[in-house]
Amino acid sequence: MVRCLETGAEEEEDDEYAKLVRRMNPPRVVIDNDSCDNATVIRVDRVKKHGILLEAVQVLVDLNLVITKAYISSDGNWFMHVFNVTDQDGSKLQNKEVIDHIQKQCLESEDCLASPAATWPTYGAASAEDQSTCIELTGTDRPGLLSEVCAVLASLSCNIVKAEVWTHERRAAAVFQITDEITGLAIRDAGRLSRVQDLLRTVMHGDGRASSTCAGGVPVGAARAERRLHKLMLDDGGAGGEEAVAGEDDRCGRARPKVVVMDCTERQYTVVILRCRDRPKLLFDTLCALSDLHYVVFHGTVDAERGSKEDAYQEYYVRHVDGRPVRSDAERLRLVRCLEAAVERRASDGLELEVRTEDRVGVLSEITRVFRENSLSIIRAAIATRDGTAEDTFYVSDAYGNPVDGGTMDAVGEQLGDAVLRVKKRGGGSGHDAKTVAEGGAVSVLGSLLKGSFQGLRLIRSYS
C-alpha cells in the first residue's frame, strides 16, 4: 500500500511538471483559407503527448470535416501537424463557430490536453442524453442478434437513446446509451444494472467470449463510441481474417486494403504504408488501430487526392511506446491484420436503410424484429434520437451476406408501416443489384406500405 502511494505521488509530480511545460509552451493553431485552392489548412504546433495526434483528428471528425491531406512531424518534445480539410460538400471552412471551436475550445483548450483515456471531446450543447447508462457488448455475430438485444432492453423498460453497432469477421461489438423508461435518466440501481448485464451476456453468449459491461451516468459522444468499438473489437480478437491476403478482393468483390510494414533501420523506425479506397473517417480509424496497439506516430503523410477520389495513401514512421520498432514477424503480421480490420469494419457492404419515426420505448425492437423475421442481417447500425424522433441507419444484407432482393423489401415494407424510410446503396457490393433495389423495387414497395405502428409519418422517395 505504501508503495502505491509513493508511485501515485511521483505520477502527480510528473503530471504537474507536464502541465507546467505545456503552459510555458502553449499550442499554436493557425487556420488558413488562402494558401490552398481547394481546402482549409489547419496547422497545429504543440508539446508532444502520447495520443495527441488521435485527439486532434477526433476533434475534426466530431465536426464531420473531411481530411484530404495531412502532414505529421515530431522531433524531441514538440510536434507539428498540418491538415487540409473541407466540409461535407467539399468546400473550405467558412463557419465562424466551427473555426472558433477548432481553434479555441478544442485544440487549444486544457480539456484537450488531458489524458485521452479521460476525456473525449464532443461538439454541441450537452443534453439529457449525457445523463444515461453506457452498455458495451461483444460476442459472436449472428442474424437477429441486434433484435434480441433490443427486445431484452425493451422488456426491462430501458429506452435506447443512442447506439453504435459494428460487425466484422463473425464478431459483433456494440455501445448502447440507455435511460430509464419512466424517468428518462441514467439507471443507477445496482440490482437492476446487474439484471440487465446478466441477460445481455446470455444473449451475446455464443462461444464463451461474450462480454457485457454497464456503467451509469457515462456520456458517450459519437466519436467516443466509435473509438470504443475499435478497442472492443481488437480486445475481442477482431484482428482481421488470418487467412486473408492483403490486396486480394474479398468475397463481395471489394478490394482489400494493402498494408506494408518495413524497417527503417538507420533511424530505428518501422514504416507503415497503407493504400485503400478512400472513405470518411479513414484516418481516424487507422490512428485508432495504431494507438490501440501502442504505437506512436513520429512522422507521417496522408493523401486522399492521389489521382482518384477512391485512392487513399497513408505512410507512417512509428515506434512502439517502449521506443522500439517492430521486432518480430509475428508482431509485423499482427500490425498488418489489425490495420486491415480497422479499415474494413466501417467499410460495410449491403443496403443502407435510414428509418425515421417517433421515438418511444420498444420502437427499435420492433424495427429490428421485422428485419430478423425477413432474414435480414444487420452489418452495421447507428441509432440516435433527437427531439422526440428516432433516426436510425442500418446496413443490411441477406442472411448469407448477399444483396437484398426486391421481394424481401416488399415484405419488410408491408410490416413496417408509414415510417419515413430512405433507401440508398453504400459499400462495395454488386452495384447492379443494389441499384435495382434502391431505385426500382424500393420505390414501388415503399409507396404501398401498410399502416401499422408508425402512423402519422410521411413517406419520402429513395435516393442513391
Side-chain angles (χ1 to χ4, degrees):
M1 181 178 293
V2 174
R3 185 175 182 180
C4 291
L5 290 175
E6 289 176 351
T7 302
E10 291 174 358
E11 291 176 351
E12 184 177 354
E13 290 178 2
D14 289 342
D15 289 343
E16 291 302 320
Y17 176 74
K19 289 179 181 178
L20 176 62
V21 171
R22 289 195 292 262
R23 290 193 178 103
M24 293 177 62
N25 300 275
R28 294 188 294 271
V29 180
V30 177
I31 299 179
D32 179 6
N33 267 324
D34 299 325
S35 61
C36 181
D37 293 336
N38 55 5
T40 297
V41 179
I42 300 176
R43 299 183 181 90
V44 184
D45 298 286
R46 65 183 310 158
V47 174
K48 186 171 66 176
K49 178 175 73 75
H50 178 54
I52 196 65
L53 171 60
L54 178 56
E55 288 182 23
V57 171
Q58 185 168 305
V59 168
L60 302 178
V61 168
D62 279 337
L63 295 169
N64 292 320
L65 301 180
V66 178
I67 302 174
T68 58
K69 288 185 178 181
Y71 306 93
I72 303 156
S73 181
S74 174
D75 289 307
N77 293 322
W78 195 260
F79 76 67
M80 178 184 70
H81 298 335
V82 180
F83 303 99
N84 286 21
V85 304
T86 67
D87 61 19
Q88 292 291 312
D89 297 324
S91 303
K92 295 183 180 182
L93 306 187
Q94 302 295 340
N95 188 309
K96 187 180 183 302
E97 183 180 1
V98 171
I99 293 175
D100 184 67
H101 178 76
I102 295 172
Q103 193 162 26
K104 300 297 183 183
Q105 299 179 25
C106 287
L107 296 181
E108 290 187 357
S109 72
E110 194 65 29
D111 290 340
C112 195
L113 296 175
S115 167
T119 181
W120 300 91
T122 56
Y123 178 65
S127 67
E129 294 174 356
D130 292 339
Q131 300 302 317
S132 60
T133 299
C134 178
I135 301 177
E136 296 179 348
L137 304 171
T138 58
T140 304
D141 184 32
R142 66 178 185 275
L145 178 60
L146 179 58
S147 175
E148 295 176 28
V149 170
C150 294
V152 167
L153 293 175
S155 69
L156 296 173
S157 300
C158 300
N159 186 39
I160 300 174
V161 178
K162 287 184 179 179
E164 289 281 343
V165 182
W166 287 2
T167 66
H168 184 250
E169 298 292 342
R170 298 180 296 278
R171 305 301 298 174
V175 176
F176 284 88
Q177 196 171 337
I178 65 171
T179 59
D180 178 75
E181 174 184 358
I182 298 176
T183 65
L185 300 176
I187 301 172
R188 303 185 184 278
D189 180 77
R192 186 178 178 189
L193 287 176
S194 179
R195 173 70 171 164
V196 170
Q197 188 169 339
D198 290 343
L199 289 178
L200 289 177
R201 185 179 291 113
T202 300
V203 170
M204 298 296 294
H205 183 79
D207 57 5
R209 286 196 288 160
S211 174
S212 173
T213 303
C214 298
V218 178
V220 183
R224 180 177 187 263
E226 294 168 351
R227 180 75 184 87
R228 286 298 301 156
L229 285 170
H230 276 298
K231 188 69 167 62
L232 288 171
M233 298 204 83
L234 178 66
D235 292 344
D236 189 50
E242 294 298 328
E243 298 179 358
V245 177
E248 289 188 354
D249 291 350
D250 63 14
R251 62 187 179 87
C252 297
R254 179 180 57 197
R256 297 184 63 88
K258 302 175 182 178
V259 182
V260 178
V261 178
M262 303 181 298
D263 296 324
C264 181
T265 308
E266 64 274 14
R267 298 297 301 274
Q268 292 298 300
Y269 288 126
T270 294
V271 183
V272 179
I273 298 176
L274 169 70
R275 294 177 183 267
C276 66
R277 174 175 294 183
D278 188 33
R279 60 166 176 77
K281 300 185 180 181
L282 177 63
L283 176 58
F284 175 75
D285 293 338
T286 54
L287 291 178
C288 282
L290 291 172
S291 178
D292 290 339
L293 292 170
H294 307 295
Y295 289 101
V296 178
V297 177
F298 287 83
H299 304 279
T301 301
V302 176
D303 191 350
E305 298 179 338
R306 299 171 70 91
S308 170
K309 292 183 179 180
E310 294 188 349
D311 183 16
Y313 176 87
Q314 298 183 8
E315 178 180 317
Y316 303 106
Y317 290 76
V318 305
R319 293 181 187 142
H320 198 265
V321 289
D322 61 11
R324 299 181 180 179
V326 170
R327 299 184 292 272
S328 67
D329 290 340
E331 184 181 355
R332 189 187 312 273
L333 179 61
R334 176 168 171 75
L335 176 55
V336 170
R337 295 295 184 244
C338 288
L339 282 170
E340 290 176 346
V343 171
E344 292 174 345
R345 287 173 194 142
R346 200 195 296 270
S348 301
D349 279 307
L351 189 66
E352 182 179 352
L353 305 177
E354 296 180 353
V355 182
R356 175 180 292 187
T357 184
E358 181 182 357
D359 182 39
R360 56 184 173 79
V361 175
V363 67
L364 184 58
S365 177
E366 294 178 12
I367 295 172
T368 54
R369 175 183 55 79
V370 170
F371 291 166
R372 181 191 64 194
E373 291 175 349
N374 288 277
S375 299
L376 292 183
S377 180
I378 298 175
I379 304 170
R380 186 158 59 93
I383 312 301
T385 57
R386 186 177 294 107
D387 299 327
T389 300
E391 301 176 354
D392 306 334
T393 301
F394 304 93
Y395 297 82
V396 302
S397 66
D398 69 10
Y400 301 99
N402 300 316
V404 182
D405 59 43
T408 301
M409 287 302 302
D410 278 330
V412 171
E414 289 176 357
Q415 295 171 50
L416 277 184
D418 289 338
V420 175
L421 181 62
R422 291 181 176 179
V423 183
K424 64 178 181 179
K425 180 66 183 72
R426 190 174 182 178
S430 171
H432 175 72
D433 291 339
K435 187 175 181 180
T436 300
V437 174
E439 296 184 358
V443 172
S444 60
V445 170
L446 301 180
S448 61
L449 295 181
L450 299 180
K451 292 184 179 179
S453 58
F454 302 97
Q455 295 187 13
L457 296 176
R458 65 185 180 86
L459 183 69
I460 62 178
R461 291 179 61 86
S462 64
Y463 63 92
S464 57

